Amino acid sequence: MLRLAHTLEAQLRAAMERSFPEAAAHARQAGAPLDPQLVPASKPEFGDFQANGALPLAKPLGRKPRDIATAIVEQLAADPTFTALAEAPQIAGPGFINVTIRPERLAAEVAARLGDPRLGVPTAAEEAGDDPLPVIVDFSSPNIAKEMHVGHLRSTIIGDSLARVLEFRGHPVLRLNHVGDWGTQFGMLITHLKQVAPEALDTADAVDLGDLVAFYRQAKQRFDDDPAFQAAAREEVVRLQGGDPLSLKAWHLLCDQSRREFQKIYDRLAIRLSERGESFYNPFLGAVVDDLRAAGLLVVDDGAGCVFLEGVSGKDGAPLPLIVQKSDGGFNYATTDLAAIRYRLAPPPSGDGARRLIYVTDAGQSAHFAGVFQVARRAGWIGEGVRVEHVPFGLVQGDDGKKLKTRAGDTVRLRDLLDEAVERAEADLRRRLAEEGRPEEECFIQHVATTVGLAAVKYADLSTNRITNYQFSFDRMLALSGNTAPYLLYALVRIAGIARRGAAQGEGLGDGLAAGPLAFTEPQEWALARELLKFDAVIAEVEEELLPNRLCSYLFELSQVFNRFYDQVPVLRAEELARGSRLALCRLCADTLGLGLGLLGIESLERM
Ligand code: ARG
């Protein structure tokens, strides 16, 4: 209903301007035209929208807000485009204007969605003042030779969903996997492997990835404890960065092995990513520091190249630095991110020419990104109208509220976690089939279990407000009730069931009905129609605020409204005119759930 809301907003503003021409002229001069303050109604009894714009006018006009609202409503009544769209507005409380859209207009909106694969969501190109912007979503980004952990899983799932929403809106999206494939960790690992497993350095897959992770842990330990090892590791990094062929070969092998392991997870989750690791920016690191020096931002402090951050101070009140070059001349995570931001925003061919950068990582990196963004801004790399955003998320915790661990206290392997979700979904399904006495083919069971298991993991990650920590619980995410993937999938399955029974009676699920008039009489029908029409506004909100949980809450609410409708109003047994309209609602509901789940990266099911 976003388009209707825009129309309404313009009509209200015009009515305000006609009622109070002087105040309007004043406001326009000040560059802030009168604002109707139109918001969706807070309760269905109040209609569809509520305009609060009369209240702030009370003071400057020296009149009661109710009188102001009355004057605006009188002007609205004289506007035929308004009266064709809405019922006579009601004034409520101190001076709110409640607006109810005419039923035939609502029904027409529903009808317009029926044959529309975009369900009323415009592409950015179709919207005035909203051009498609090249966007980069930097997500997943695990580290080579380390285990990809649940934090990376969260980034992967959230990042993928945001990328899908932006792509759906028609923005060109570059999905970048900023893998940690460079730096001291390789010096440590290669030095250690030379001594304990040299075959791993020149033969593919000579050791398991699991062993590699263990070797990395040992190497790190030695690095921290043993100065001689530390020196050797540093030399190794220098060799690698200098392009020494043996070091490079070892590095390639290690990266390759990790990469294949990561890819298995991405394939399972149907996630597309372009790998562009930290090493990509290696050639640009020196130029970053030169740029910062030229901009007068670089300060050498204790031998290290730093930029002191504005508005960020440490415990002693002194400003905190962002270190961009270590005292040994080496570069770090921040330097790489500075090089990345510079490259991503620079116009092609020397950069990506992106206009919006989105980084999806745990909230623990908030200070890092705030520092990097500030330095990039002060260096002049972030042009006007460009958005650079960190999308932080909280920790994944176990049932006990502590960091997610296996019973033995190890970090949980993602593969095991996904396997367990699917196994549990399968066990639930077999139990249900046995209870219902339903015989099903094995391939059906496998397909449903895999879809439900993966959907549950993704949805659990997406449906909580990402800023807060969330407790990982298989029981909760796989439950058939509550705000879960199985609940939403079940609503879809219910509708598919109606379609099948309808088809058996020679009744399409609203197909061919788009042309016919829709007539709704029951409050449950209106409630469902109104809920369906909110979809476009929800997508706009997710695009703006980068909160996938808003889409989840909407789909959950929609499923509940649908279930209420279906439990209380006959569909296939209704008389003919009502039946057509109700089937149309069912179909639009299925399409909306399917599209919405798709934007979350979740596959739909017809039966489960
Ligand atoms: N590799 C990092 C980690 O595991 C995440 C990288 C996020 N992206 C970035 N541009 N810094 O924590």
Side-chain angles (χ1 to χ4, degrees):
M1 275 217 279
L2 224 41
R3 233 191 19 236
L4 276 190
H6 290 325
T7 308
L8 212 54
E9 193 172 32
Q11 291 168 343
L12 273 155
R13 178 173 297 113
M16 290 168 87
E17 293 182 338
R18 285 197 304 277
S19 310
F20 310 104
E22 270 173 43
H26 238 84
R28 284 212 181 263
Q29 252 160 29
L34 293 181
D35 182 1
Q37 299 192 4
L38 190 71
V39 292
S42 54
K43 288 198 187 129
E45 305 87 276
F46 299 157
D48 294 297
F49 295 99
Q50 175 178 332
N52 302 336
L55 277 68
L57 286 179
K59 218 166 160 197
L61 292 173
R63 291 177 59 178
K64 286 206 209 82
R66 269 194 91 95
D67 295 347
I68 297 173
T70 309
I72 298 172
V73 167
E74 271 165 24
Q75 286 299 329
L76 284 172
D79 174 353
T81 58
F82 176 82
T83 52
L85 182 60
E87 316 260 17
Q90 303 291 314
I91 298 173
F96 306 125
I97 302 173
N98 290 341
V99 180
T100 304
I101 303 295
R102 285 182 172 281
E104 65 274 19
R105 291 298 292 260
L106 281 181
E109 287 289 310
V110 172
R113 302 283 179 282
L114 279 171
D116 172 11
R118 300 192 55 85
L119 303 181
V121 180
T123 59
E126 285 161 1
E127 256 181 323
D130 192 2
D131 294 327
L133 298 178
V135 186
I136 289 179
V137 186
D138 172 323
F139 70 107
S140 194
S141 309
N143 301 311
I144 300 289
K146 294 193 205 170
E147 203 75 73
M148 182 167 168
H149 54 67
V150 279
H152 295 124
L153 181 67
R154 222 180 163 191
S155 170
T156 307
I157 292 170
I158 295 173
D160 175 59
S161 169
L162 295 176
R164 284 175 193 261
V165 170
L166 291 159
E167 284 157 355
F168 178 63
R169 286 275 291 130
H171 300 291
V173 177
L174 189 54
R175 301 158 156 256
L176 286 186
N177 200 1
H178 188 84
V179 295
D181 64 353
W182 206 235
T184 12
Q185 82 231 47
F186 286 93
M188 296 178 211
L189 184 61
I190 295 175
T191 309
H192 185 56
L193 285 176
K194 272 188 180 163
Q195 294 163 17
V196 296
E199 66 281 10
L201 298 173
D202 59 8
T203 317
D205 302 316
V207 298
D208 257 29
L209 186 75
D211 294 336
L212 217 51
V213 171
F215 284 135
Y216 175 74
R217 227 177 279 138
Q218 294 163 9
K220 174 91 175 76
Q221 190 69 48
R222 288 181 71 186
F223 187 86
D224 292 340
D225 297 345
D226 174 0
F229 182 85
Q230 214 179 87
R234 289 234 156 84
E235 278 165 34
E236 191 57 53
V237 179
V238 175
R239 266 199 292 283
L240 176 64
Q241 299 190 339
D244 174 82
L246 284 180
S247 298
L248 272 181
K249 175 162 189 208
W251 175 70
H252 272 301
L253 284 176
L254 297 173
C255 289
D256 216 49
Q257 191 163 358
S258 290
R259 188 176 291 135
R260 273 181 280 131
E261 211 56 36
F262 299 154
Q263 194 54 45
K264 285 185 198 154
I265 301 279
Y266 299 142
D267 286 346
R268 259 184 110 167
L269 296 173
I271 280 165
R272 278 183 302 109
L273 267 158
S274 309
E275 183 181 318
R276 194 201 276 167
E278 295 182 10
S279 61
F280 176 88
Y281 303 100
N282 186 47
F284 310 113
L285 299 173
V288 162
V289 175
D290 293 345
D291 256 25
L292 296 176
R293 191 179 294 110
L297 295 174
L298 196 75
V299 177
V300 178
D301 190 52
D302 228 355
C306 311
V307 177
F308 281 94
L309 297 172
E310 288 168 353
V312 189
S313 42
K315 284 202 192 78
D316 53 359
L320 276 183
L322 183 76
I323 299 179
V324 297
Q325 189 162 26
K326 294 182 279 185
S327 50
D328 65 3
F331 302 110
N332 61 15
Y333 187 52
T335 329
T336 306
D337 260 322
L338 285 169
I341 209 171
R342 186 166 165 271
Y343 187 91
R344 292 168 182 184
L345 295 178
S350 49
D352 297 311
R355 307 280 296 156
R356 187 175 188 185
L357 302 183
I358 294 168
Y359 297 78
V360 189
T361 79
D362 63 287
Q365 301 198 32
S366 295
H368 162 76
F369 283 110
V372 167
F373 296 169
Q374 185 194 112
V375 171
R377 188 156 282 126
R378 286 162 66 197
W381 301 334
I382 304 182
E384 210 178 315
V386 169
R387 292 171 80 171
V388 176
E389 293 154 288
H390 179 219
V391 170
F393 54 80
L395 297 174
V396 183
Q397 302 169 321
D399 272 336
D400 54 1
K402 300 212 188 86
K403 204 172 156 197
L404 192 66
K405 289 249 160 72
T406 63
R407 283 225 182 79
D410 299 321
T411 41
V412 181
R413 289 198 310 171
L414 295 189
R415 198 183 341 146
D416 298 342
L417 189 143
L418 299 179
D419 284 347
E420 183 164 352
V422 172
E423 275 159 28
R424 285 180 182 239
E426 182 181 331
D428 286 352
L429 175 61
R430 287 191 192 278
R431 203 172 312 125
R432 207 155 35 82
L433 293 179
E435 275 165 22
E436 294 172 13
R438 247 169 79 192
E440 291 287 359
E441 303 265 352
E442 197 52 30
C443 67
F444 169 86
I445 295 176
Q446 292 311 323
H447 175 68
V448 172
T450 309
T451 308
V452 170
L454 299 179
V457 171
K458 284 190 179 184
Y459 192 82
D461 242 329
L462 294 166
S463 57
T464 45
N465 183 324
R466 60 172 163 73
I467 320 281
T468 52
N469 296 342
Y470 103 93
Q471 283 195 3
F472 190 96
S473 156
F474 283 117
D475 287 336
R476 212 171 321 131
M477 69 176 70
L478 285 163
L480 260 178
S481 59
N483 188 8
T484 64
Y487 179 79
L488 298 192
L489 289 170
Y490 195 68
L492 259 175
V493 163
R494 258 187 128 174
I495 303 176
I498 303 171
R500 277 194 303 275
R501 287 194 305 278
Q505 298 175 17
E507 196 82 59
L509 192 57
D511 287 298
L513 273 167
L518 295 177
F520 305 126
T521 49
E522 303 300 323
Q524 294 90 337
E525 294 173 301
W526 284 116
L528 181 54
R530 289 195 153 92
E531 196 60 34
L532 286 166
L533 293 174
K534 289 182 189 162
F535 184 64
D536 55 354
V538 173
I539 297 301
E541 205 178 309
V542 177
E543 177 184 356
E544 183 57 31
E545 296 178 24
L546 307 176
L547 289 169
N549 63 304
R550 295 280 164 77
L551 178 54
C552 297
S553 307
Y554 167 72
L555 295 175
F556 178 48
E557 181 66 31
L558 177 62
S559 305
Q560 286 179 307
V561 174
F562 170 77
N563 284 330
R564 226 168 287 142
F565 156 84
Y566 188 58
D567 292 340
Q568 297 172 4
V569 180
V571 174
L572 288 171
R573 273 187 305 252
E575 53 82 26
E576 201 174 316
L577 186 62
R579 186 167 63 231
S581 299
R582 289 174 194 171
L583 282 169
L585 284 178
C586 290
R587 167 169 156 209
L588 187 56
C589 187
D591 289 349
T592 308
L593 286 172
L595 180 57
L597 285 171
L599 293 175
L600 298 172
I602 294 174
E603 200 188 317
S604 299
L605 286 171
E606 295 264 299
R607 295 198 308 124
M608 68 190 268

